Amino acid sequence: SQQGEEDPQALSIQEGENATMNCSYKTSINNLQWYRQNSGRGLVHLILIRSNEREKHSGRLRVTLDTSKKSSSLLITASRAADTASYFCATDNQAGTALIFGKGTTLSVSS
Amino acid sequence: DSGVTQTPKHLITATGQRVTLRCSPRSGDLSVYWYQQSLDQGLQFLIQYYNGEERAKGNILERFSAQQFPDLHSELNLSSLELGDSALYFCASSVATGGPLYPQFFGPGTRLTVL
C-alpha cells in the first residue's frame, strides 16, 4: 500500500529557478528519504531525514519534515537542466521493515 | 555508479517462461532488496534478504522467489510469466538490515519484456 504521495505530479521550470516538491504520508515514520531517478535508470539516494529532525541540507537541496502535518518538502535551488528527473519520497511501512515509495514528481528543467 | 550491479540489462521472453535476474550488492553491504517498477503500480517493494536470510516480504507474487547466496549476491526468479510482469526490476543494497533506516543504493535495473 502507498504511504507517501508526492505533489505536484509534474513540474516544469526554467534553469536558475527553484523547484519545490511535497510529500505527504499517512502513518508515523522513523525517517523519510528522497530519491532521484533519471529516465529508466536506477534510483539515487539524495537525503535521509529522521523523524526528530526538522530540516536538512545537502548542496542545493533542502528538505524539511513536519511530523505534525505528516509532510515533507524537497527544495532544489538554482535548478539546472541536469536536475531533470523524477523525484520520489520514501517512508517506512508500519512494520518498519521496508521502504514504501510514492509515485513521484517529474521535474523538467529547461534552459 | 552506485556499486550495485544487475544482469542482464534487458530480457525479452514469452508468457509461461521462467527467468532469473541477478544482483551483486555494493562491497560490504549485507542487505539486498528487490523492487518492481511499472507505469501503473509505481515502485513496489518485493522482498529483502540480509546476510542470506529473508527479512521482509512485500508485494511479491507466489510465482516469484528470491535467494541470497553466501557471497551475498542475490537472484530473483520469476516463473509462469504473464504479460503483466513486464516491468523494470531493481535491486538495491544497504549496509545493514532495518531497511527504512538506511539509504539504499540501487542498481541500474533489468528491463523485462514478456511477449
Side-chain angles (χ1 to χ4, degrees):
Chain A
S1 61
Q2 195 175 317
Q3 162 75 306
E5 207 167 296
E6 293 90 346
D7 168 62
Q9 284 190 324
L11 183 58
S12 291
I13 59 173
Q14 298 283 320
E15 257 191 335
E17 294 181 337
N18 295 342
T20 300
M21 288 157 258
N22 302 297
C23 170
S24 58
Y25 56 92
K26 296 173 186 150
T27 61
S28 61
I29 58 172
N30 291 302
N31 64 48
L32 185 143
Q33 303 186 36
W34 284 92
Y35 288 80
R36 183 188 76 229
Q37 183 181 31
N38 291 85
S39 182
R41 304 184 69 167
L43 279 75
V44 174
H45 178 262
L46 296 176
I47 204 160
L48 182 154
I49 186 165
R50 302 203 186 279
S51 59
N52 60 355
E53 296 175 310
R54 291 296 164 258
E55 190 169 311
K56 210 161 179 182
H57 296 255
S58 176
R60 293 183 296 113
L61 306 181
R62 186 190 126 201
V63 167
T64 61
L65 179 63
D66 186 335
T67 52
S68 66
K69 293 182 180 175
K70 292 188 171 58
S71 69
S72 173
S73 69
L74 169 67
L75 168 68
I76 304 174
T77 58
S79 295
R80 306 166 182 166
D83 294 327
T84 295
S86 291
Y87 292 81
F88 297 86
C89 70
T91 57
D92 40 302
N93 62 356
Q94 288 185 286
T97 54
L99 269 183
I100 306 297
F101 286 81
K103 295 253 176 174
T105 291
T106 300
L107 173 65
S108 178
V109 182
S110 51
S111 51
Chain B
D1 183 359
S2 67
V4 178
T5 61
Q6 288 188 250
T7 56
K9 284 185 83 168
H10 302 276
L11 201 48
I12 301 175
T13 188
T15 54
Q17 295 297 305
R18 173 189 167 96
V19 297
T20 297
L21 313 183
R22 184 189 166 105
C23 166
S24 292
R26 286 189 324 159
S27 177
D29 283 358
L30 298 177
S31 274
V32 169
Y33 310 82
W34 286 97
Y35 293 88
Q36 179 194 60
Q37 186 177 38
S38 61
L39 280 173
D40 53 344
Q41 296 290 323
L43 194 64
Q44 299 279 319
F45 167 68
L46 296 178
I47 197 164
Q48 179 207 354
Y49 278 82
Y50 174 75
N51 205 18
E53 290 188 10
E54 182 186 304
R55 278 302 173 100
K57 245 178 174 175
N59 301 323
I60 188 165
L61 300 171
E62 281 192 17
R63 300 183 285 109
F64 296 0
S65 65
Q67 53 185 325
Q68 186 180 28
F69 295 87
D71 66 353
L72 300 178
H73 91 270
S74 178
E75 293 180 356
L76 179 67
N77 300 295
L78 315 176
S79 61
S80 303
L81 285 167
E82 301 175 0
L83 296 176
D85 297 327
S86 295
L88 263 172
Y89 290 84
F90 289 107
C91 163
S93 72
S94 69
V95 64
T97 189
L101 302 179
Y102 301 94
Q104 293 184 16
F105 297 88
F106 281 72
T110 293
R111 183 173 293 280
L112 173 67
T113 303
V114 182
L115 302 174

